């Protein structure tokens, strides 16, 4: 029996919470089994905060490190969402990030 | 970690030392928000609590001033102000544990308190909030056992059992212990059904456990108090849509859009209901007022395909907006496709097949697959 969108929305939300992504800045929904996320991706975990402290001396290095960290998070988030039972696919409309057709993530220019 | 290991002597010693490390880490964690210019009231509030522990008067007063500058109406902030300026800063450690708390738990908590007694008794303090902040931090870094201890300490000072169960329930839920989360959150709600965050969390747990009726009852409770929460209205709308109650679904999507007109999923589902109704004027008016251009294009696409069959315009839209065919192929728009006239879909796919040069192959294929069913 297919899972209802209502239930799948809660599953997707939990996956995002588990990744320490701020759900207050996202709209999370599931339509026809397809996860639909739009808004801003902000990681709230202490690891990111530590990184910001550690590399505060050089903005370029920090940006590079953060970009890598966000890319890994988005990749993992996408994988976890797609692998959730009942989810058929995912559409992401993030302010600063875009999923490429090859499955990677690129940061949109400011 | 097994229960015996959890309450081993090593762990007790570890915990006694962990407190100062946590304080340091939490302070660094929240300070980076301030350094980044993210001076949000909740961040300031938490920092004040930590600085109360440190007894850093300068920081306390600076942050308090900034906090009240941002919001001097919220009762929680005003209470903190009153507390800081009052002379009577006492606290009470109460060893009455909830009846269902395991004996080993109470023993380790009392141990912890005894070890820090001198430190605690000399520091008049907002203990409930302090330990909650540490607990939330420990949960964030996935140190679940530490989080449990801190939440328990928070409870011992406040005797706020509803809050205690809520914090533990939330923690278990984000660690995939859904049934445990259900039990804790429902216990919290039994004591206090006014905490909207707890009710919302509980509604998600219920949804995952296939307790939809309970989830809806809970969401309605929140909705009655906060009709301005678009997420809650949206979820109610989606539930009714999934269950074919079009009238109620429409009512709730309208409410979601009233408070967040840019809510994409609410727009998609509301337009879908207009599509079912088939009122062209309403649909066109709705499309004209949509701020999101991507959505505008795809709504136009379905509108034209169903009601106008103007293939030139459809091709323009498909060429202009790559998302239309990719989103159709992934299944996001299946509910629209499912109610459209078969003849309209088939004649458009025939047209595409006969004029392959006018559109990329990558865009034609998903449309033909979906439209031909």
């Amino acid at each position: 029996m297919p899972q209802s969108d209502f239930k799948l929305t809660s599953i997707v939300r939990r996956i995002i919470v588990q990744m320490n992504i701020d759900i207050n800045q996202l709209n999370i929904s599931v339509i026809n089994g397809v996860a639909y996320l739009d808004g801003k991706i902000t990681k709230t975990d202490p690891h990111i905060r530590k990184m910001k402290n550690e590399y505060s001396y050089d903005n370029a290095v920090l940006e590079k490190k953060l970009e890598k960290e966000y890319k890994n998070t988005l990749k993992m988030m996408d994988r976890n969402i797609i692998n959730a039972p009942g989810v058929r696919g995912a559409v992401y409309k993030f302010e600063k990030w875009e999923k490429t057709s090859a499955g990677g993530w690129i940061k949109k220019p400011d | 970690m097994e229960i015996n290991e959890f309450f081993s002597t090593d762990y007790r010693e570890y915990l006694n030392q962990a407190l100062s490390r946590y304080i340091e880490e939490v302070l660094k964690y929240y300070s980076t928000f301030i350094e980044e210019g993210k001076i949000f009231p909740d961040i300031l509030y938490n920092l004040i609590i930590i600085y109360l522990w440190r007894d850093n008067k300068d920081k306390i007063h600076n942050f308090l001033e900034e906090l009240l500058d941002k919001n001097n109406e919220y009762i929680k902030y005003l209470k903190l102000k009153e507390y800081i300026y009052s002379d009577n800063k006492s606290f009470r450690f109460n060893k009455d544990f909830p009846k269902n708390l395991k004996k080993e738990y109470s023993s380790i908590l009392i141990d912890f308190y005894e070890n820090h007694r001198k430190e605690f008794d000399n520091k008049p303090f907002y203990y409930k909030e302090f330990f909650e902040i540490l607990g939330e931090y420990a949960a964030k870094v996935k140190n679940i056992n530490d989080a449990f201890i801190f939440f328990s300490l928070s409870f011992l000072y406040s005797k706020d059992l509803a809050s205690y169960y809520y914090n533990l329930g939330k923690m278990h839920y984000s660690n995939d212990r859904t049934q445990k989360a259900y039990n804790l959150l429902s216990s919290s709600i039994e004591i206090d059904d006014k905490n909207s965050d707890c009710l919302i969390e509980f509604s998600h747990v219920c949804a995952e456990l296939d307790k939809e009726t309970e989830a809806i009852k809970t969401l309605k409770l929140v909705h009655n108090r906060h009709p301005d929460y678009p997420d809650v209205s949206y979820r109610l709308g989606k539930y009714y849509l999934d269950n074919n109650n079009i009238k109620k679904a429409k009512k709730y999507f309208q409410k979601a859009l009233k408070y967040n007109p840019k809510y994409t999923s609410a727009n998609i589902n509301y337009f879908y209901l207009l599509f079912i109704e088939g009122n062209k004027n309403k649909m066109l008016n709705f499309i004209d007022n949509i701020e999101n251009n991507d959505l505008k294009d795809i709504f136009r696409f379905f509108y034209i395909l169903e009601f106008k069959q103007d293939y030139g315009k459809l091709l323009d839209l498909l060429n202009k907006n790559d998302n239309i065919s990719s989103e159709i192929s992934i299944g996001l728009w299946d509910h629209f496709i499912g109610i459209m006239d078969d003849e309209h879909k088939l004649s458009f796919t025939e047209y595409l097949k006969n004029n392959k040069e006018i559109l990329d192959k990558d865009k034609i294929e998903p449309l033909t697959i979906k439209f031909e069913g």
Side-chain angles (χ1 to χ4, degrees):
Chain A
M1 194 183 129
Q3 313 267 32
S4 71
D5 286 347
F6 183 73
K7 176 177 178 176
L8 290 174
T9 302
S10 297
I11 293 174
V12 171
R13 176 187 175 270
R14 177 172 47 77
I15 290 170
I16 293 165
V17 169
Q18 285 172 337
M19 304 199 65
N20 274 322
I21 293 168
D22 186 356
I23 49 166
N24 297 318
Q25 299 189 50
L26 281 176
N27 286 322
I28 303 161
S29 54
V30 174
I31 300 171
N32 305 320
V34 178
Y36 191 100
L37 274 71
D38 68 322
K40 198 174 170 190
I41 284 285
T42 308
K43 279 188 62 117
T44 59
D45 59 329
H47 176 61
I48 289 281
R49 298 278 136 203
K50 275 182 190 161
M51 205 180 253
K52 286 182 175 175
N53 259 336
E54 210 172 314
Y55 297 100
S56 57
Y57 63 90
D58 189 330
N59 213 31
V61 177
L62 176 64
E63 281 300 312
K64 218 173 161 181
K65 294 268 179 196
L66 286 175
E67 197 169 320
K68 196 178 166 196
E69 185 68 27
Y70 268 86
K71 277 183 183 175
N72 287 338
T73 302
L74 288 164
K75 206 172 159 183
M76 203 190 296
M77 179 197 77
D78 182 38
R79 196 186 58 205
N80 292 347
I81 289 174
I82 299 290
N83 287 340
V87 174
R88 299 194 295 152
V91 173
Y92 304 106
K93 305 274 169 135
F94 297 141
E95 272 180 25
K96 289 187 177 169
W97 292 93
E98 199 168 13
K99 193 179 168 190
T100 64
S101 50
W105 289 87
I106 47 167
K107 198 172 179 186
K108 293 180 192 171
D110 285 330
Chain B
M1 190 185 273
E2 290 301 314
I3 193 89
N4 291 337
E5 196 186 334
F6 179 38
F7 291 105
S8 70
T9 314
D10 283 354
Y11 187 77
R12 287 169 192 238
E13 278 174 18
Y14 154 77
L15 185 70
N16 287 329
Q17 291 160 8
L19 186 64
S20 53
R21 179 173 58 79
Y22 269 104
I23 293 167
E24 201 57 47
E25 282 186 21
V26 169
L27 207 49
K28 271 189 192 159
Y29 175 70
Y30 286 113
S31 298
T32 52
F33 283 93
I34 303 294
E35 284 157 20
E36 275 174 45
K38 292 175 180 167
I39 311 169
F40 307 132
D42 279 353
I43 303 282
L44 292 165
Y45 183 86
N46 286 356
L47 277 167
I48 295 168
I49 300 294
I50 304 293
Y51 280 118
L52 270 169
W53 168 269
R54 289 244 164 137
D55 203 19
N56 186 329
K57 291 193 174 57
D58 286 349
K59 293 274 189 192
I60 293 167
H61 288 104
N62 288 345
F63 285 138
L64 183 68
E65 204 175 307
E66 207 151 353
L67 175 68
L68 296 173
D69 205 35
K70 288 188 185 299
N71 185 342
N72 65 0
E73 285 173 8
Y74 190 22
I75 193 87
K76 182 171 139 178
Y77 302 157
L78 295 175
K79 272 187 178 172
L80 180 65
K81 177 189 170 190
E82 193 186 326
Y83 172 81
I84 288 170
Y85 287 110
S86 93
D87 293 328
N88 181 22
K89 293 188 173 81
S90 62
F91 77 96
R92 192 166 63 93
F93 182 89
N94 189 331
K95 290 177 189 173
D96 296 337
F97 294 90
K99 279 178 190 152
N100 55 355
L101 194 72
K102 286 196 170 76
K103 210 176 172 186
E104 309 94 280
Y105 288 21
S106 10
S107 130
I108 193 170
L109 295 172
I110 289 172
D111 257 22
F112 181 81
Y113 169 70
E114 293 300 341
N115 280 324
H116 289 85
R117 185 172 207 145
K118 205 171 162 193
E119 221 170 342
F120 284 1
D121 287 353
N122 290 331
K123 283 179 190 289
F125 197 63
Y126 249 46
Y127 286 102
K128 175 184 184 274
E129 286 76 4
F130 175 68
F131 285 116
E132 257 177 12
I133 292 168
L134 297 190
E136 276 162 17
Y137 181 85
K140 258 187 202 300
V141 293
K142 313 281 180 203
N143 285 340
I144 304 308
N145 293 332
D146 295 359
F148 167 77
I149 294 295
F150 290 135
F151 286 137
S152 303
L153 285 162
S154 169
F155 164 74
L156 289 177
Y157 290 104
S158 65
K159 309 310 292 173
D160 184 348
L161 195 52
S163 246
Y164 181 50
Y165 287 150
Y166 166 56
N167 283 324
L168 293 184
K170 200 165 64 163
M171 183 179 81
H172 283 301
Y173 183 40
S174 69
N175 283 281
D176 290 330
R177 295 168 189 163
T178 317
Q179 186 57 52
K180 226 173 192 176
Y182 173 84
N183 296 340
L184 285 157
L185 294 172
S186 58
S187 299
S188 173
I189 293 166
E190 261 176 44
I191 301 164
D192 172 18
D193 69 355
K194 302 222 165 25
N195 180 349
S196 300
D197 290 340
C198 180
L199 292 167
I200 290 170
E201 202 73 7
F202 183 64
S203 71
H204 284 291
V205 172
C206 290
E208 283 213 43
L209 292 172
D210 294 318
K211 295 174 189 291
E212 285 195 345
T213 314
E214 212 170 340
I216 293 307
K217 193 179 143 201
T218 311
L219 281 175
K220 281 187 176 170
L221 209 58
V222 183
H223 179 74
N224 290 340
R225 285 189 204 128
H226 302 283
D228 56 335
Y229 283 10
D231 276 344
V232 172
S233 300
Y234 173 78
R235 286 179 64 216
L236 284 165
K238 193 69 178 89
Y239 169 80
Y240 285 115
L241 182 58
D242 287 351
N243 288 283
N244 295 317
N245 189 334
I246 304 299
K247 201 176 161 191
K248 281 193 177 174
K250 198 172 173 187
K251 178 181 109 178
Y252 285 113
F253 289 140
Q254 267 174 328
K255 284 189 178 181
L257 289 171
K258 181 180 171 190
Y259 294 101
N260 182 5
K262 290 181 179 173
Y263 201 142
T264 313
S265 317
N267 275 308
I268 292 173
N269 284 302
Y270 187 68
F271 185 70
Y272 172 68
L273 296 177
L274 294 180
F275 203 77
I276 293 175
E277 272 180 11
N279 184 326
K280 293 180 195 172
N281 285 338
K282 270 191 187 171
M283 273 186 270
L284 288 174
N285 189 36
F286 188 74
I287 294 171
D288 283 345
N289 289 309
I290 288 273
E291 286 179 40
N292 180 326
N293 283 331
D294 260 4
L295 274 189
K296 214 185 251 285
D297 285 347
I298 201 148
F299 287 168
R300 270 199 190 122
F301 177 85
F302 284 114
Y303 176 82
I304 293 169
L305 182 55
E306 184 68 353
F307 300 105
K308 299 273 177 196
Q309 294 89 48
D310 181 337
Y311 298 155
K313 280 189 181 162
L314 291 174
L315 286 175
D316 284 347
L317 286 167
L318 288 167
N319 275 317
K320 180 183 153 202
N321 193 330
D322 291 341
N323 291 327
I324 298 177
S325 55
S326 68
E327 288 180 6
I328 284 176
S329 78
I330 213 170
L332 185 67
W333 301 93
D334 281 3
H335 50 329
F336 281 79
I337 295 167
I339 58 163
M340 285 167 77
D341 191 313
D342 286 341
E343 251 181 56
H344 297 158
K345 290 183 280 188
L346 291 176
S347 62
F348 183 54
T349 50
E350 279 304 309
Y351 173 78
L352 291 175
K353 281 181 191 169
N354 294 332
N355 297 277
K356 285 181 179 164
E357 69 289 350
I358 51 176
L359 197 67
D360 289 346
K361 194 182 159 209
D362 293 351
K363 288 184 182 173
I364 294 179
E365 264 182 12
L367 297 177
T368 51
I369 291 168
K370 283 285 175 188
F371 288 170
E372 288 174 354

